[in-house]
Amino acid sequence: MLSDALKETLRGKIAQGEHPREHAVDVMLEIQKRCGYMSDEAMEEAATLLGMSPLELEELATFYDHIYREPVGKYVIRVCDSAVCWMHGHLSVVDHLTSLLGIGMGETTPDGLFTVLPVCCLGYCDRAPAMMINQRIFGQLTPEKIDRVIRRLREEASFDEAE
Amino acid sequence: MPRLIIDEREIEVPPGTKVIDAAERLGILIPRFCYHEGLGAVGACRMCAVQFVEGPVKGLQMSCMVDAQDGMVVSTSHEEAVEFRRFIIECLMLNHPHDCPVCDEGGQCLLQDETVSGGHGLRRYQGKKRTYRDQYLGELIAHEMNRCIHCYRCSRFYQEFSGYRDLGPLQIANRVFYGRFKDGPLESPFSGNLVDICPTGVYTDKPSRYKARRWDLQRTPSVCIHCSLGCNTVANARYREVVRVEARFSGEVNGHFICDRGRFGFPYTNLPGRPRTARTAGGECSQGEAVAAAAEKLREISSTFGPQAVACFGSSRNSLETQCMLKRICRLQGWQVPGFFVDPALERRVRAAVSLLDASAGVSMREVERADCVVAAGVDPVNEAPMLALAMRQAFRRGAEILVADPRPIFLPFPFIHVPVSMERMDSFLEGLARLAGESSDGTGVREADLLSQIVQNGGLASSDLPLPVSFCRALFGSQNPVVLCGTECVRESTLPAAAALARDLRKGRDRAGLLYVLPGANAFGAGLLNSQGHPGFSRLLESVESGSVRALIVTESDPLNDFCHRDRLLGTLGKLDLLVVMDFLDSETARMAHVFLPTTTHFESGSCFVNHEGRLQYAEAVHHGGIPIEQAGGGSHPPRVYRGDIPGEGPKAAWVILAELGRTLGIPDRDLLGLGPWSLIGEEIPSLKRLEGTVFPPEGIRILSDGDPVQWVQGPEARDGEDDRGAVPPGDFFEILLTHWTFGTEELSSRSGPLQKVEKEPYGMMHSDDARVLGFSEGDRIVLSLEGGQIRFRLSVADRMGRGVLVLPRHRKLAWRNIPEMPCFVPRDRIRREDS
């Protein structure tokens, strides 16, 4: 399932550490970057590379929010649900986003573009309410701003596809 | 020693004792979930909060996390602590499904107890409960995650304590889930302990599911008889059948845990096919009639051919009472001295082991846990005596270095150094280590490189076979409390004294160096103690039968057809007997051949003594009276309301009682038999145990090793006469066949267990990948081994980490290993071929 080239890269990464398992999370993030998420097969192959049992790797994978064990959209939208965001209208952000995308919290749009997940906390409290899309953060959210962001991402995605 | 006051009572405890344990010594059981004496403290569940009123620690603290110290005043009933614990149990119960009526844990559930003790009676939370999808964990353990309270006991036992890596905590926070990566059987042969340590019903015993509530069970302290370790158990019976076996704490033997062979191996005692009626040539009869028939024939044979025409044969699963009675009757009647092993070489090895152990050398499993360096020679712990592997793991966790010298591929649940020395070179390997130890003790320093090359040469090893040996040698020199473990199943006889010599050399300059022999069978030590000098050995016995000088054989709880290699010969020989008397609780092949058959009770039905590998005499109490299980009598429903004249369980008797009745019928006065009582009987037959007469039996058993000179204690096997010198590798290109045990599927009693039959692997043979390459074999090939006795077919598995020139075969019933003429067995390479060629 993992390509030989990817396995070679990962072996190189693992060899840098004193103990192979030091790089467990890095290896999973690397695979995720290429494959989108950690499938069962990817888990088993990564565990073999790391000298861990699949269960041991699964313990880490399911502990961390940023490792996906199911397919996620091209854009993972994480809406902050900390107390400060909540005071600043987190619930209406969630309402707007989910009705705009037509999916519930934790779901992925049928076109495979967006996944909405909760997160706590983005540390962006001074600009609450906030959300993060892949590695980019957005604060002081309003319905209009959310509409704008989503529209831009849709355009970006169709541009990527066309090219 | 710290003195503290708990609930207005003072107690002095050893330094390092946790407050929760100090309280327990006073009889105060502080509520707890995550804390378990065997696993240690983590402070995860917050249930054991108590108030520290005065002393070095103040306020509300977890009693499992605080060491008892001088001047502490602790209150378990302080208002604040009680209130805190009430909140904790309320939180832990938020998601619990309240399914106690259908939960097997109900009635023995710590969660039930602590809910009551915490005072949580009214539910306030009205929200939706968290639910999980359960996993299939194999045929032994049922999984019900909704009941979980997240105490982490299971994963701590499974991973930290026992070292297996396929069950653990997944997810985070409120979603934490204990399970496997995917559905599938648990890999650990210690998985049954999850049932005992889980404080609620997440893990329950699958074979006994829905059979009984704890309070309906007859429960009694018992001893496991599925290997020589003698782990302590609790036997549970209901409706005339043994329902389940649990671990029983023993400070010296098994600690808190047992293996799955011991837990799930008992169904042989309940089998529908178990013979419960006596039988003679004329068909079924009463016990008394069968004894009379046997006695009449014995008297006839004795008077015609002399008493030496009668021979007796026991086994290492006999209770000590049975072994003693067997020896006693043989002596009083002038019959042949009884034997206990079908393999004369094994019998010699057991006698050697028993004679080499003495109180200063022999160690218990608990002492193995405390060792700081372990040398294991010719022993495969997980397969031969599983709990020994857990003891070794505890030594490893405390920092011990562990080396296993064995040509077989060895798996242990921790890192260790495996040196694949051949059985033939094992002695010189151990001698090399002993010399190294000697060099270090007289302070001359060690010429490591020299000695190492010597060891490599002596061991017949390639230097590449020795990973990290120097570091191990250093660890051995530096150790304060080393232990030598040695097997008896596969090693040469000379390896036993070599292991003892290594332990003796290590003892120089040290307080202690231990020695532990893994023996073949629960009461192999007893068989060795009875010092069967004068017993001709099983092969000679067969020769005597074949030549007609022995006409009658009495087989007591033993199945030679199961154990003996050369099956066809044995079948023919047994057929020649004028009289074959078999007493057994198994429906064995030997029993089916008997002219007179007498059913016996299992150790669950009549209390029995067993002597474990370290010479610890332990008593297993009877848990019930036996009889046909009600489930069988009633075909799964209510038993039929039909009048029967017999009392349930009246047919079978303990083998030693039947032997005594036979002796009485033959004219031995009763005062010399049953009239003696078991203790006097044992004392009469084993003089060194006379001093134990009248002893109150302590719960941890009686260690019967002598402090004195081991040679006077019990005599080892007499020196070998030249012709008997087996075990030398014949010249040329040969494979040595090693017949081994597996955790599941080879041991006589547990291999009859239905649940374990579902768990055991299909048998396969193993050889070194280099050997396979030379022969043109590869992994998974079907191989045929052609011997004089017949063929053995098996699937091949290859390994790199094992000795060359050996072929390892399990004593599995699905493998025709009984076609091997005798052990040790060497076969030329051209006798091994792939099935298709």
Side-chain angles (χ1 to χ4, degrees), chain B residues 239-270:
Chain B
Y239 289 153
R240 298 183 206 148
E241 74 181 294
V242 178
V243 173
R244 107 178 39 130
V245 165
E246 295 160 11
R248 175 161 61 95
F249 176 74
S250 159
E252 285 304 318
V253 183
N254 52 311
H256 291 86
F257 307 110
I258 57 172
C259 72
D260 289 353
R261 190 203 282 175
R263 187 181 300 267
F264 300 106
F266 65 84
Y268 66 89
T269 186
N270 302 331

Short mmCIF file of all heavy atoms in Angstrom, two decimals, chain B residues 239-270:
data_model
loop_
_atom_site.label_atom_id
_atom_site.label_comp_id
_atom_site.label_asym_id
_atom_site.label_seq_id
_atom_site.Cartn_x
_atom_site.Cartn_y
_atom_site.Cartn_z
N TYR B 239 -23.22 -27.70 40.46
CA TYR B 239 -24.00 -28.75 39.83
C TYR B 239 -23.10 -29.89 39.34
O TYR B 239 -23.18 -30.32 38.21
CB TYR B 239 -24.81 -28.19 38.65
CG TYR B 239 -25.95 -27.30 39.05
CD1 TYR B 239 -26.41 -26.30 38.19
CD2 TYR B 239 -26.59 -27.46 40.27
CE1 TYR B 239 -27.48 -25.49 38.54
CE2 TYR B 239 -27.65 -26.64 40.63
CZ TYR B 239 -28.09 -25.67 39.76
OH TYR B 239 -29.16 -24.86 40.11
N ARG B 240 -22.17 -30.31 40.18
CA ARG B 240 -21.30 -31.46 39.92
C ARG B 240 -20.37 -31.26 38.74
O ARG B 240 -19.98 -32.20 38.08
CB ARG B 240 -22.12 -32.73 39.68
CG ARG B 240 -22.95 -33.12 40.86
CD ARG B 240 -23.65 -34.42 40.57
NE ARG B 240 -24.85 -34.51 41.35
CZ ARG B 240 -25.95 -35.12 40.96
NH1 ARG B 240 -25.98 -35.71 39.78
NH2 ARG B 240 -27.00 -35.15 41.74
N GLU B 241 -20.05 -29.99 38.44
CA GLU B 241 -18.98 -29.82 37.46
C GLU B 241 -18.11 -28.63 37.86
O GLU B 241 -18.58 -27.69 38.51
CB GLU B 241 -19.50 -29.68 36.04
CG GLU B 241 -20.16 -28.38 35.69
CD GLU B 241 -20.65 -28.41 34.24
OE1 GLU B 241 -19.81 -28.49 33.35
OE2 GLU B 241 -21.87 -28.36 34.03
N VAL B 242 -16.84 -28.71 37.49
CA VAL B 242 -15.95 -27.59 37.73
C VAL B 242 -16.28 -26.56 36.66
O VAL B 242 -16.31 -26.85 35.47
CB VAL B 242 -14.47 -28.01 37.66
CG1 VAL B 242 -13.57 -26.82 37.87
CG2 VAL B 242 -14.19 -29.07 38.72
N VAL B 243 -16.60 -25.34 37.11
CA VAL B 243 -17.09 -24.32 36.20
C VAL B 243 -15.96 -23.39 35.76
O VAL B 243 -15.87 -22.98 34.62
CB VAL B 243 -18.21 -23.51 36.88
CG1 VAL B 243 -18.62 -22.33 36.03
CG2 VAL B 243 -19.40 -24.41 37.14
N ARG B 244 -15.12 -23.05 36.69
CA ARG B 244 -14.04 -22.12 36.33
C ARG B 244 -12.91 -22.21 37.34
O ARG B 244 -13.12 -22.71 38.46
CB ARG B 244 -14.65 -20.71 36.20
CG ARG B 244 -14.35 -19.74 37.25
CD ARG B 244 -14.93 -18.34 37.03
NE ARG B 244 -16.25 -18.21 36.48
CZ ARG B 244 -17.22 -17.44 37.02
NH1 ARG B 244 -17.01 -16.75 38.11
NH2 ARG B 244 -18.38 -17.36 36.45
N VAL B 245 -11.74 -21.80 36.91
CA VAL B 245 -10.57 -21.77 37.79
C VAL B 245 -10.04 -20.35 37.79
O VAL B 245 -9.98 -19.70 36.74
CB VAL B 245 -9.51 -22.77 37.29
CG1 VAL B 245 -8.16 -22.51 37.92
CG2 VAL B 245 -9.95 -24.21 37.57
N GLU B 246 -9.73 -19.85 38.98
CA GLU B 246 -9.21 -18.49 39.09
C GLU B 246 -7.84 -18.55 39.75
O GLU B 246 -7.49 -19.53 40.40
CB GLU B 246 -10.15 -17.63 39.98
CG GLU B 246 -11.52 -17.42 39.38
CD GLU B 246 -12.56 -17.02 40.43
OE1 GLU B 246 -12.17 -16.72 41.58
OE2 GLU B 246 -13.75 -17.04 40.08
N ALA B 247 -7.11 -17.45 39.61
CA ALA B 247 -5.80 -17.38 40.27
C ALA B 247 -6.00 -17.15 41.77
O ALA B 247 -6.94 -16.49 42.18
CB ALA B 247 -4.98 -16.24 39.69
N ARG B 248 -5.12 -17.74 42.57
CA ARG B 248 -5.14 -17.50 44.01
C ARG B 248 -3.78 -16.94 44.39
O ARG B 248 -2.76 -17.43 43.91
CB ARG B 248 -5.40 -18.82 44.74
CG ARG B 248 -5.34 -18.74 46.25
CD ARG B 248 -6.05 -19.94 46.87
NE ARG B 248 -5.42 -21.21 46.49
CZ ARG B 248 -4.50 -21.85 47.24
NH1 ARG B 248 -4.09 -21.33 48.38
NH2 ARG B 248 -3.99 -22.99 46.83
N PHE B 249 -3.78 -15.90 45.23
CA PHE B 249 -2.51 -15.27 45.56
C PHE B 249 -1.60 -16.23 46.33
O PHE B 249 -2.03 -16.91 47.25
CB PHE B 249 -2.74 -14.01 46.39
CG PHE B 249 -1.46 -13.38 46.84
CD1 PHE B 249 -0.67 -12.68 45.94
CD2 PHE B 249 -1.01 -13.52 48.15
CE1 PHE B 249 0.53 -12.12 46.34
CE2 PHE B 249 0.19 -12.97 48.55
CZ PHE B 249 0.96 -12.27 47.64
N SER B 250 -0.35 -16.28 45.90
CA SER B 250 0.65 -17.00 46.66
C SER B 250 1.92 -16.16 46.63
O SER B 250 2.44 -15.88 45.56
CB SER B 250 0.91 -18.36 46.03
OG SER B 250 2.17 -18.83 46.45
N GLY B 251 2.37 -15.77 47.80
CA GLY B 251 3.54 -14.90 47.88
C GLY B 251 4.78 -15.55 47.32
O GLY B 251 5.67 -14.87 46.80
N GLU B 252 4.87 -16.87 47.38
CA GLU B 252 6.11 -17.53 46.97
C GLU B 252 6.02 -18.17 45.59
O GLU B 252 7.02 -18.33 44.92
CB GLU B 252 6.49 -18.60 48.00
CG GLU B 252 7.05 -18.03 49.27
CD GLU B 252 8.25 -17.14 49.04
OE1 GLU B 252 9.12 -17.49 48.22
OE2 GLU B 252 8.33 -16.08 49.69
N VAL B 253 4.84 -18.57 45.19
CA VAL B 253 4.76 -19.34 43.94
C VAL B 253 4.39 -18.44 42.77
O VAL B 253 5.26 -17.98 42.03
CB VAL B 253 3.79 -20.54 44.08
CG1 VAL B 253 3.78 -21.35 42.80
CG2 VAL B 253 4.23 -21.42 45.24
N ASN B 254 3.12 -18.14 42.62
CA ASN B 254 2.70 -17.47 41.39
C ASN B 254 2.32 -16.02 41.57
O ASN B 254 1.91 -15.38 40.61
CB ASN B 254 1.51 -18.22 40.77
CG ASN B 254 0.40 -18.43 41.77
OD1 ASN B 254 0.64 -18.88 42.88
ND2 ASN B 254 -0.81 -18.08 41.40
N GLY B 255 2.42 -15.46 42.77
CA GLY B 255 1.96 -14.09 42.96
C GLY B 255 0.45 -14.05 42.76
O GLY B 255 -0.27 -14.90 43.27
N HIS B 256 -0.02 -13.07 41.99
CA HIS B 256 -1.47 -12.88 41.82
C HIS B 256 -2.02 -13.59 40.59
O HIS B 256 -3.22 -13.61 40.39
CB HIS B 256 -1.80 -11.40 41.67
CG HIS B 256 -1.60 -10.61 42.91
ND1 HIS B 256 -0.38 -10.08 43.26
CD2 HIS B 256 -2.45 -10.28 43.91
CE1 HIS B 256 -0.49 -9.44 44.41
NE2 HIS B 256 -1.74 -9.54 44.82
N PHE B 257 -1.13 -14.12 39.72
CA PHE B 257 -1.61 -14.48 38.40
C PHE B 257 -1.36 -15.96 38.08
O PHE B 257 -0.57 -16.62 38.73
CB PHE B 257 -0.94 -13.60 37.35
CG PHE B 257 -1.10 -12.13 37.64
CD1 PHE B 257 -0.03 -11.34 38.04
CD2 PHE B 257 -2.36 -11.55 37.56
CE1 PHE B 257 -0.20 -10.00 38.34
CE2 PHE B 257 -2.54 -10.21 37.85
CZ PHE B 257 -1.45 -9.43 38.25
N ILE B 258 -2.06 -16.46 37.05
CA ILE B 258 -1.79 -17.79 36.51
C ILE B 258 -1.84 -17.70 34.98
O ILE B 258 -2.23 -16.68 34.43
CB ILE B 258 -2.81 -18.86 37.00
CG1 ILE B 258 -4.23 -18.44 36.65
CG2 ILE B 258 -2.66 -19.11 38.48
CD1 ILE B 258 -5.27 -19.53 36.93
N CYS B 259 -1.46 -18.77 34.31
CA CYS B 259 -1.49 -18.73 32.84
C CYS B 259 -2.81 -19.32 32.35
O CYS B 259 -3.58 -19.90 33.10
CB CYS B 259 -0.31 -19.52 32.27
SG CYS B 259 -0.47 -21.29 32.45
N ASP B 260 -3.05 -19.19 31.06
CA ASP B 260 -4.32 -19.65 30.49
C ASP B 260 -4.41 -21.17 30.44
O ASP B 260 -5.50 -21.74 30.43
CB ASP B 260 -4.51 -19.08 29.08
CG ASP B 260 -4.81 -17.59 29.14
OD1 ASP B 260 -4.98 -17.07 30.26
OD2 ASP B 260 -4.85 -16.95 28.07
N ARG B 261 -3.26 -21.85 30.40
CA ARG B 261 -3.31 -23.32 30.43
C ARG B 261 -3.88 -23.76 31.78
O ARG B 261 -4.72 -24.65 31.86
CB ARG B 261 -1.91 -23.91 30.24
CG ARG B 261 -1.93 -25.41 30.02
CD ARG B 261 -0.60 -26.05 30.38
NE ARG B 261 0.41 -25.85 29.36
CZ ARG B 261 1.67 -26.24 29.51
NH1 ARG B 261 2.07 -26.86 30.61
NH2 ARG B 261 2.55 -26.01 28.57
N GLY B 262 -3.44 -23.10 32.83
CA GLY B 262 -3.93 -23.43 34.17
C GLY B 262 -5.37 -23.01 34.38
O GLY B 262 -6.13 -23.66 35.08
N ARG B 263 -5.78 -21.90 33.76
CA ARG B 263 -7.13 -21.39 33.99
C ARG B 263 -8.18 -22.15 33.18
O ARG B 263 -9.26 -22.42 33.64
CB ARG B 263 -7.17 -19.90 33.62
CG ARG B 263 -8.48 -19.20 33.95
CD ARG B 263 -8.43 -17.75 33.54
NE ARG B 263 -7.37 -17.04 34.21
CZ ARG B 263 -7.51 -16.37 35.35
NH1 ARG B 263 -8.69 -16.28 35.90
NH2 ARG B 263 -6.48 -15.76 35.91
N PHE B 264 -7.83 -22.47 31.94
CA PHE B 264 -8.84 -23.05 31.05
C PHE B 264 -8.58 -24.54 30.76
O PHE B 264 -9.20 -25.12 29.88
CB PHE B 264 -8.90 -22.27 29.73
CG PHE B 264 -9.25 -20.81 29.93
CD1 PHE B 264 -8.29 -19.82 29.79
CD2 PHE B 264 -10.55 -20.45 30.25
CE1 PHE B 264 -8.62 -18.49 29.98
CE2 PHE B 264 -10.88 -19.12 30.42
CZ PHE B 264 -9.92 -18.13 30.29
N GLY B 265 -7.62 -25.14 31.48
CA GLY B 265 -7.25 -26.52 31.19
C GLY B 265 -8.04 -27.58 31.92
O GLY B 265 -7.84 -28.77 31.73
N PHE B 266 -8.99 -27.15 32.80
CA PHE B 266 -9.64 -28.11 33.70
C PHE B 266 -10.73 -29.00 33.08
O PHE B 266 -11.12 -29.99 33.70
CB PHE B 266 -10.26 -27.35 34.89
CG PHE B 266 -11.37 -26.43 34.47
CD1 PHE B 266 -12.65 -26.93 34.32
CD2 PHE B 266 -11.15 -25.09 34.19
CE1 PHE B 266 -13.69 -26.09 33.90
CE2 PHE B 266 -12.18 -24.26 33.76
CZ PHE B 266 -13.45 -24.77 33.62
N PRO B 267 -11.30 -28.70 31.88
CA PRO B 267 -12.51 -29.45 31.47
C PRO B 267 -12.34 -30.97 31.38
O PRO B 267 -13.34 -31.67 31.28
CB PRO B 267 -12.85 -28.87 30.10
CG PRO B 267 -12.32 -27.48 30.14
CD PRO B 267 -11.04 -27.61 30.93
N TYR B 268 -11.13 -31.49 31.45
CA TYR B 268 -10.98 -32.95 31.43
C TYR B 268 -11.78 -33.60 32.56
O TYR B 268 -12.21 -34.73 32.45
CB TYR B 268 -9.49 -33.35 31.55
CG TYR B 268 -8.87 -32.99 32.87
CD1 TYR B 268 -8.91 -33.88 33.94
CD2 TYR B 268 -8.23 -31.77 33.06
CE1 TYR B 268 -8.36 -33.55 35.16
CE2 TYR B 268 -7.68 -31.42 34.28
CZ TYR B 268 -7.75 -32.32 35.33
OH TYR B 268 -7.20 -31.99 36.54
N THR B 269 -12.00 -32.84 33.63
CA THR B 269 -12.70 -33.41 34.78
C THR B 269 -14.22 -33.49 34.55
O THR B 269 -14.92 -34.21 35.24
CB THR B 269 -12.38 -32.62 36.07
OG1 THR B 269 -12.97 -33.28 37.18
CG2 THR B 269 -12.93 -31.20 36.01
N ASN B 270 -14.73 -32.74 33.54
CA ASN B 270 -16.17 -32.72 33.28
C ASN B 270 -16.58 -33.48 32.03
O ASN B 270 -17.76 -33.52 31.71
CB ASN B 270 -16.65 -31.27 33.06
CG ASN B 270 -16.34 -30.36 34.23
OD1 ASN B 270 -16.28 -30.81 35.36
ND2 ASN B 270 -16.13 -29.10 33.94
#
